[in-house]
Amino acid sequence: MADWNAAHTQTETEVRQRLVRVAQGQEQADLLIRGANLVNVLTREIYEADVAVASGRIAAVGSGRSGYQAAEVLEARGAYLAPGFIDAHIHIESSLLTPARFAQVVRPRGTTAVVAEPHELVNVLGLEGLHWMLRAGRGSGIRVYASLPSCVPASEYELGGAVLTPADIRAGLGVPGVLGLAEMMNYPGVLGLDAGVWEVLAESLRAGGRSGTGGRRDGHAAGLSGRELQAYAAAGIHSDHEAVTPAEAHERLRAGLWLMVREGSAARNLQALLPVLRGELSGGQVPRRAMLVSDDVGVDELLSLGHLDRLMRECVAGGLHPADALALVTRNPAEYWGLHDLGAVAPGYHADLVLLGDLKDFKVLETFVGGERHFAPQSTPALSGGVVNLGPGWAHADLTVPGHWPVIGVRPDQIVTDRLTQNSATGDLTRLVVADRYGRGEVSACWAAGIGLTRGAVALSVLHDAHHVIVAGAAGEEGEASIRAAGRALERLGGGVVVHDGERVIAELPLAYAGLMTDADPQVAAAQVEAVTAALHTLGCVLPYPITTLSFLGLSVIPALKLTPRGLLDVEKWELVSREP
C-alpha cells in the first residue's frame, strides 16, 4: 500500500469532505478505536482518546466517550495508541527477503512504512531494480517509499551490473514514490569536486526546486569531521547515519544535518549514541532532528529481536521518555522525508496506527495501515537477471596474496575495518577472495583477521555494493580448494550463500531474486541463515552474524581496507594497494 496507489476509489477531495462530515458527527466512521491512551508525539502528552477512521484516514481524535459512531468499534481498554513506525533508511535486500516477506515480519512489530534504499538491487539491475522494488512494495502490506541510489557504482573502484548516469538520476527522481537522493557515499568525490559526482548532485539540486520529488539528499559521512564535515554539509547534504561516537553525532547536529542513529545487524551504534538522544550534549534538550534507522538488518534478527520496536525498547531502557522514543520513528522521519500525512495521530493523517500493550516493551497488539487491520499480500513480481557468472577462468584464478600487503581487521559489530600487518594480526588468518560476478573475470585475494575459519569456505553473492562474489576460506591448499568449490557451487545455485567443507556443501541459502533476496517464508529463510551460521561456526568462524559482516568487506567507501575484484583498496588513502613492495 502506498500514497500513489490509492486504496480507495474516492478522489482526494471526496475523501477530505467525508472526513469533515465524520468529524462533525454527520456520518459514521468506518472504524472507531475507543478508550485508548493516545501517545501524542506532537505535544509529548499521553491522554485518553477515541480515534475515528474513515476512508483510510483519521477523521477525528475525540476525548474519551466522544460519541462517534462507526461500522466497527475496537475497544482499546486503555492500551496505548501511537502512530505506525517509519524506518527512514533501510535496505530491504539486506533482510534477504522480498518486500512482501519483509512486511510479513515487520508489520506485526508495528512498522507501517519504510524508505527503502534499493542500491543493492540497482547496482545489479539498474533502474529496473528501483521500479521493481516500488512495484513489489505496493503489494506488500506496508508503505514502501524509496530514495534513489546516488552512487551506482559506489566509487571508481567498483563496477557492478549497472551504472546510473545523470540522465538516469533525472529520470529516477521523477518516479512516483521516490522521495529524494539516497546516501551520497562517495564523499571524496563530493569534497574533491569530482565532475561525475557533482553531475549527480546537480540533478538532485535541480529536482529539489521542482514540486513532488528530489528535495532530500541523504549523507554517508563515515569518519568526517571539522572542515571536511562542514564542506560536506555545505554541498547540500541533509542527513548522516554514520556517526559512531557522541562527539560525531553532536557535530552533525550542530552542522544542521539530521542524525540517523543506526542499529542494524552489521553496525550497532544506538548504545553509544544514547547520551546524544538524551540531550546530554545539548543542555538536556532532546534533539529534534534525530531518527532511529536499521539500515541493514537480517531476517533472523528481525524475527528474534524485532525491528523498530526493539530500538525503542533500548531507548526507554536507556532513559528516554516513551513519547520521545516514539517520535524518533514517527514524527521525525515523516517530517524529514516530507511525508506530511504520516507520523502522528491527528485529523487528516493516514490511519497508520499501532496499538501497544505498554510503553516499555512496546508489545504490539494491533497494527493498522490505512485503517486496515488485516492484509493479504500480493504475489511478488517476477525479477529476471542478476545471476552469478564467475567466467571460465575461476578454476585457475590467481589467489595468491602479496607478502607485503596489509591485513583486513574485521570487527564483529561494525562495518568499518582495521588496517593490520601480517605480523601484528592475531589468531588464524582467513583468505578473502572477491570475484566479478558479471562474467568479466577479475579476481583478487587478501588476508583477513577476525573471521576465524580454520577449514572450509563460504561463498556469497551479497557484497555491498556492487554485489560481486566474496569467498572466505581457510589458509592452505585445502582451504583454497574449498574456495574454488564454493564459488562454483554458488554459480550453480544462481546466487545466495554456500558453505563448503572440502568438496562437500554443508549448508546453503538460495537467493533467487538477483542473488540478493528470497521469497521463501521468513521462518524458512531464518532457519537457512541459522544453518549457514551454525555450519560456519563448526568451521571455526567467530563472527556472530557472518553473512552480514562478510557482505560489507567489499564496500569501497567505508574505511579502512576493503577488497574489490581489482585489488585491495586503502579507503583512507583512496588508492589500491600496490602489488609491488
Side-chain angles (χ1 to χ4, degrees):
M1 179 182 299
D3 294 347
W4 63 94
N5 184 39
H8 302 278
T9 57
Q10 297 168 297
T11 66
E12 178 73 11
T13 299
E14 289 170 337
V15 168
R16 296 292 182 175
Q17 290 177 343
R18 185 183 178 210
L19 296 179
V20 169
R21 293 193 297 271
V22 172
Q24 296 182 92
Q26 298 168 356
E27 183 178 324
Q28 76 169 4
D30 300 324
L31 170 68
L32 179 66
I33 302 174
R34 188 160 57 194
N37 277 313
L38 174 64
V39 184
N40 192 320
V41 296
L42 302 175
T43 63
R44 206 170 176 262
E45 297 175 279
I46 302 174
Y47 51 88
E48 185 179 354
D50 297 345
V51 175
V53 175
S55 299
R57 291 181 179 263
I58 298 169
V61 179
S63 59
R65 303 179 183 85
S66 61
Y68 285 111
Q69 302 296 313
E72 179 185 1
V73 177
L74 175 63
E75 299 289 352
R77 296 184 173 85
Y80 296 91
L81 188 66
F85 310 152
I86 304 169
D87 196 329
H89 178 72
I90 186 170
H91 306 281
I92 290 177
E93 304 99 309
S94 290
S95 72
L96 306 180
L97 300 172
T98 59
R101 294 301 192 177
F102 171 81
Q104 184 180 335
V105 178
V106 302
R107 179 169 168 153
R109 296 283 195 166
T111 301
T112 57
V114 299
V115 181
E117 212 279 67
H119 70 208
E120 326 308 337
L121 202 52
V122 174
N123 266 274
V124 176
L125 298 174
L127 280 183
E128 172 53 28
L130 170 72
H131 290 290
W132 183 90
M133 182 63 71
L134 291 169
R135 284 198 306 272
R138 285 194 285 272
S140 69
I142 63 174
R143 301 183 195 272
V144 177
Y145 303 95
S147 54
L148 177 67
S150 62
C151 301
V152 180
S155 78
E156 63 199 78
Y157 296 106
E158 291 188 48
L159 179 60
V163 175
L164 288 196
T165 66
D168 292 327
I169 296 295
R170 188 182 316 121
L173 288 172
V175 173
V178 173
L179 304 181
L181 194 68
E183 49 189 317
M184 175 49 72
M185 297 180 292
N186 192 349
Y187 59 81
V190 175
L191 302 180
L193 302 181
D194 176 86
V197 170
W198 275 88
E199 284 181 353
V200 170
L201 285 174
E203 291 295 343
S204 177
L205 290 165
R206 282 190 285 269
R210 302 191 295 264
S211 62
T213 64
R216 284 298 187 193
R217 286 171 290 281
D218 269 353
H220 188 281
L224 292 188
S225 64
R227 290 183 175 183
E228 289 184 329
L229 182 66
Q230 295 292 308
Y232 189 67
I237 304 300
H238 295 124
S239 68
D240 183 50
H241 60 272
E242 293 292 333
V244 298
T245 68
E248 286 183 341
H250 190 54
E251 186 180 11
R252 280 147 178 75
L253 290 168
R254 278 184 164 183
L257 296 172
W258 285 71
L259 176 67
M260 293 182 175
V261 177
R262 174 179 56 193
E263 184 73 8
S265 297
R268 303 177 187 277
N269 308 128
L270 177 54
Q271 285 299 319
L273 301 186
L274 275 175
V276 177
L277 296 180
R278 290 194 296 260
E280 293 178 12
L281 279 72
S282 53
Q285 182 67 39
V286 176
R288 179 68 178 78
R289 293 157 68 93
M291 296 165 273
L292 300 176
V293 302
S294 57
D295 199 4
D296 299 276
V297 60
V299 57
D300 50 340
E301 192 165 326
L302 286 171
L303 285 169
S304 61
L305 300 177
H307 187 210
L308 297 172
D309 56 323
R310 170 174 69 93
L311 307 193
M312 285 187 291
R313 282 196 294 275
E314 293 188 27
C315 285
V316 171
L320 265 71
H321 188 281
D324 292 330
L326 278 162
L328 294 171
V329 299
T330 56
R331 177 197 68 191
N332 296 7
E335 181 178 325
Y336 173 76
W337 282 115
L339 299 171
H340 303 300
D341 292 345
L342 292 177
V345 182
Y349 280 62
H350 288 294
D352 293 6
L353 307 166
V354 180
L355 199 62
L356 301 165
D358 62 75
L359 296 179
K360 178 182 177 183
D361 295 326
F362 292 93
K363 179 177 175 55
V364 176
L365 306 177
E366 294 274 5
T367 302
F368 304 82
V369 180
E372 297 177 0
R373 299 166 68 181
H374 307 290
F375 182 83
Q378 301 171 16
S379 60
T380 297
L383 181 63
S384 59
V387 297
V388 172
N389 176 16
L390 295 178
W394 171 249
H396 305 290
D398 182 7
L399 305 185
T400 60
V401 180
H404 67 283
W405 268 18
V407 174
I408 295 179
V410 179
R411 300 188 192 182
D413 58 352
Q414 299 294 339
I415 61 176
V416 296
T417 64
D418 298 310
R419 181 190 181 101
L420 307 176
T421 67
Q422 294 185 28
N423 291 330
S424 68
T426 59
D428 293 305
L429 292 181
T430 297
R431 189 192 304 269
L432 285 184
V433 177
V434 171
D436 184 295
R437 75 179 274 191
Y438 304 99
R440 293 175 292 229
E442 290 185 316
V443 179
S444 188
C446 73
W447 295 115
I451 297 174
L453 282 175
T454 56
R455 72 177 198 272
V458 57
L460 302 84
S461 59
V462 181
L463 182 64
H464 302 274
D465 279 333
H467 295 289
H468 293 296
V469 168
I470 183 169
V471 192
E477 292 183 4
E478 291 185 2
E480 183 174 329
S482 291
I483 286 173
R484 296 187 191 277
R488 282 298 182 217
L490 183 65
E491 193 174 42
R492 289 192 295 272
L493 192 65
V497 184
V498 174
V499 182
H500 251 259
D501 188 2
E503 292 295 322
R504 183 169 59 96
V505 174
I506 60 174
E508 65 180 22
L509 167 61
L511 299 174
Y513 286 77
L516 300 172
M517 297 167 288
T518 176
D519 203 36
D521 182 273
Q523 294 287 350
V524 172
Q528 291 172 326
V529 170
E530 291 171 5
V532 165
T533 301
L536 284 171
H537 288 165
T538 66
L539 300 179
C541 180
V542 296
L543 298 173
Y545 299 99
I547 294 175
T548 303
T549 302
L550 290 171
S551 73
F552 278 97
L553 296 183
L555 182 50
S556 65
V557 292
I558 296 291
L561 296 171
K562 294 297 165 72
L563 186 63
T564 77
R566 294 176 55 194
L568 182 62
L569 179 66
D570 187 323
V571 181
E572 293 165 335
K573 293 182 178 180
W574 202 237
E575 63 184 18
L576 292 171
V577 178
S578 173
R579 296 194 69 86
E580 300 299 326

